[in-house]
Amino acid sequence: MKATLVVLPGDGIGPEVTSSAVQVLRTIAERGGHQFTFTEHLIGGCSIEKHGVALTEETLQACKASDAVLLGAVGGPKWDNPNSPVRPEQGLLAIRKGLGLYANLRPVRSHPALLNSSPVKADRLAGVDMIVVRELTGGLYFGEPKGRIKERTGERAVDTMAYHDYEIVRIVELAFRLARSRKKKVTSVDKANVLETSRLWRQIASDIATRNPEVAIEHMLVDTAAMRLITSPASFDIMVTENTFGDILTDEASVLAGSMGMLPSASLGDKGPGLYEPIHGSAPDIAGKALANPIGSILSSAMLLRHSLGLEQEALAIEAAADRAITDGCRTADLGGKLTTQEMTKEIIDRITEK
Ligand code: IPM
Ligand code: MG
């Protein structure tokens, strides 16, 4: 198969980990006789340096014209001033919105060999295997009005949590589709005891559940969900929630995997390319030191093969190889090991190519 892939390495450790994922994709292409073309563009702080904005129109167009986008991370201390009119994170929000990527899939698994790498007790972690489905283009991140208003007596800031019914329908339906291929259970997380958006969310989720009786639905308030993620994380399978709740809960859930460096994500729309990125940030403190764990990015490339190119076997081969590398004791610094980013990448590629 032929595919055009845009690579947006971004800032900090972004370039190091996307390089690992590209090596893995090249290995897959070689073995399967696929033709993947990679083109690199800037996003985040490095784009601000060169173009004055975190995402240029040209880069967005290149992404739109591609089959899939592989992203590293954005941000760093240099661009940290929240009052600056241009910020690296704007690039990420613009590309999500610009590509219509309303569904963010964040799988969280506890590898049996990493149960002691998490601060959560090992007996709670056994069997954790869930996907958080985070709504990505609505809610507080994009709602209007938004801004700061100077008033006679001081200043006021406003963000708006708003959801259209169709935005809730499409994300919850996607969660139900995923649930059908898994344990047939959806936990819908909201704050329906307080928020109007959550009451609409819960009503729509209940309607969809009625139409899909083969999938069990559980409604859970977000504060309870935050607690259960620590007390009984293995009880979740598919969790679906709005943008901000999903942002917060997925950082919490990442602790279950032993290191944030392990976790991939896929951002999908109804059509067009998907965007694939590890859930970790740009980690400026370790950038350029070859210490970054490439697994989150490598597993993101597996999700790219699965969701954008339909190459399920190839995706499984990457996931199995990464799993085996961990089982065999390969560890980067975040997991208490000594392997460099490149050494870890090689361990995984060796396990993809061995018989
Ligand atoms: C994430 C990040 C982003 C978000 C930031 C960098 C804008 O935290 O992908 O979870 O809040 O969505
Ligand atoms: Mg986040």
Side-chain angles (χ1 to χ4, degrees), residues 13-269:
I13 59 170
E16 297 165 60
V17 298
T18 46
S19 151
S20 299
V22 168
Q23 290 173 52
V24 167
L25 287 171
R26 287 194 196 282
T27 305
I28 293 291
E30 227 165 82
R31 289 172 63 78
H34 306 298
Q35 282 178 17
F36 297 162
T37 321
F38 299 90
T39 53
E40 258 189 37
H41 292 271
L42 300 176
I43 191 167
C46 57
S47 177
I48 293 177
E49 299 293 290
K50 179 122 193 259
H51 303 294
V53 289
L55 179 74
T56 64
E57 188 55 34
E58 291 74 42
T59 298
L60 180 60
Q61 290 310 327
C63 293
K64 279 187 180 165
S66 75
D67 293 299
V69 181
L70 188 69
L71 190 142
V74 299
K78 203 168 167 188
W79 311 283
D80 247 0
N81 178 4
N83 292 321
S84 164
V86 282
R87 279 173 287 110
E89 293 77 12
Q90 291 166 338
L92 205 50
L93 300 187
I95 198 166
R96 289 172 180 170
K97 197 70 170 175
L99 296 177
L101 307 174
Y102 63 83
N104 184 215
L105 274 44
R106 295 187 166 181
V108 179
R109 288 192 310 137
S110 61
H111 191 293
L114 294 181
L115 296 188
N116 290 315
S117 302
S118 170
V120 177
K121 289 200 178 88
D123 64 332
R124 304 288 165 108
L125 293 173
V128 168
D129 179 4
M130 65 185 296
I131 301 180
V132 181
V133 181
R134 170 188 174 194
E135 201 289 327
L136 204 57
T137 52
L140 283 173
Y141 280 62
F142 297 96
E144 296 285 348
K146 183 186 232 3
R148 284 161 78 146
I149 306 120
K150 291 255 191 299
E151 298 180 326
R152 234 176 347 101
T153 50
E155 198 176 0
R156 202 160 72 94
V158 182
D159 292 290
T160 302
M161 166 102 78
Y163 271 102
H164 289 283
D165 50 4
Y166 71 88
E167 294 176 299
I168 303 171
V169 169
R170 64 188 181 183
I171 190 82
V172 175
E173 282 185 342
L174 187 145
F176 271 76
R177 281 201 298 282
L178 277 176
R180 258 182 249 133
S181 63
R182 293 173 51 105
K183 290 193 191 141
K184 301 189 167 53
K185 177 181 173 191
V186 170
T187 305
S188 173
V189 173
D190 62 36
K191 186 73 184 172
N193 53 347
V194 177
L195 301 176
E196 210 51 58
T197 41
S198 282
R199 286 192 271 272
L200 180 61
W201 182 287
R202 192 175 281 214
Q203 178 193 319
I204 290 172
S206 301
D207 290 349
I208 292 171
T210 311
R211 290 201 298 278
N212 292 276
E214 74 283 13
V215 174
I217 186 156
E218 166 184 51
H219 300 281
M220 194 176 286
L221 296 174
V222 63
D223 43 359
T224 307
M227 180 186 66
R228 294 269 173 84
L229 271 175
I230 303 299
T231 56
S232 49
S235 68
F236 295 106
D237 192 60
I238 301 287
M239 176 187 283
V240 62
T241 191
E242 69 86 38
N243 203 345
T244 305
F245 296 164
D247 176 46
I248 298 168
L249 292 178
T250 50
D251 263 35
E252 188 189 358
S254 76
V255 172
L256 307 169
S259 164
M260 223 181 182
M262 297 292 296
L263 297 179
S265 82
S267 301
L268 309 171

